[in-house]
Amino acid sequence: MFVLMYLPLTWMTTALVIYLYEVFHENLLINNRVIKAEKMEMVSHLAASVSHEVRNPLTVVRGFLQMIEEEGTSEAKRREFMKLSVQEIDRANAILENYLTFARPSPEHMQVIHIEEQIHKTLQILTPLAHMNTVEIHTNITDCCIEGNEDNFQQCLINIKKNCIEAMPNSGKLSIETRKEDSEVTLIITDNGNGMTKEQLSRLGEPYYTTKGREGTGLGMMAAFKIIETMHGKLTVTSVPQEGTSFYIQLPVVEAG
Ligand SMILES: Nc1ncnc2c1ncn2[C@@H]1O[C@H](COP(=O)(O)OP(=O)(O)O)[C@@H](O)[C@H]1O
Ligand SMILES: [Mg+2]
């Protein structure tokens, strides 16, 4: 008798716990979305802090240059300081580029661009990084024309593909595919890397959100979302932890110019 009563009770408790967890989880996601919207609004004000962001690497580089100049510095140390200086300059450059795209995406410089050419150009830039991580690149692309700013679109593709490669530090596969349907093309970029949890995914595109510590700026995806929006497109992302991530870029197709 006790067992007969006890069993439904444990089921009910389990169901209740699952239900409460779902509600809590949903609330967390909604909360994250609200925070994201608020932060997006704030970003124009944040642009003012760009000088501060860039000043840090500049100060570091200045210090290194002074040490390089000093007589007592060994050749090995000099080389190390030079390498670190280049890294810091690259960092400052990445911060600036992503900020500028966000602060003033340039719809006035819209042009008709071939999607295949843009994909290949950006892949060329990223090939050394892909080799370093032993990442194989697979493409299945049918060309078509889209409208946008060439530099911005390249930056968007680089930001996304670089993230994919960085998510596969010990080998993996990066695949790039296009699917054309009537007046729309979807560019699908997929990796089989670390992936993201639901919470991480909901924060994607939030200014300064990074899991890479000092190596990251947390501005790459923010710029990517903004660029696709300026091109009247849509960027959606799906991800499974330890399985990988897919980026879907939907864009209107235009006639060749
Ligand atoms: N393809 C991906 N796989 C796994 N995580 C990703 C991927 N793309 C982006 N992310 C996550 O989103 C964060 C923000 O990306 P981003 O805005 O480019 O900044 P950063 O790369 O400088 O950290 C990353 O730190 C990472 O945690
Ligand atoms: Mg990035």
Side-chain angles (χ1 to χ4, degrees), residues 130-199:
H131 283 166
M132 235 166 65
N133 289 12
T134 347
V135 166
E136 271 177 48
I137 299 172
H138 294 251
T139 53
N140 185 3
I141 300 153
T142 314
D143 190 32
C144 63
C145 286
I146 51 172
E147 201 176 5
N149 177 280
E150 190 174 349
D151 294 337
N152 287 352
F153 188 57
Q154 282 185 15
Q155 192 195 333
C156 167
L157 293 185
I158 288 175
N159 290 358
I160 292 175
K161 289 191 256 188
K162 189 162 172 276
N163 278 343
C164 291
I165 298 171
E166 286 167 349
M168 302 180 284
N170 309 308
S171 87
K173 188 176 141 188
L174 172 68
S175 91
I176 298 148
E177 191 190 325
T178 53
R179 283 187 206 153
K180 190 171 169 283
E181 265 171 47
D182 304 326
S183 58
E184 191 180 85
V185 62
T186 307
L187 169 59
I188 308 165
I189 303 173
T190 303
D191 69 59
N192 60 353
N194 298 334
M196 283 172 272
T197 63
K198 268 190 185 177
E199 280 77 18

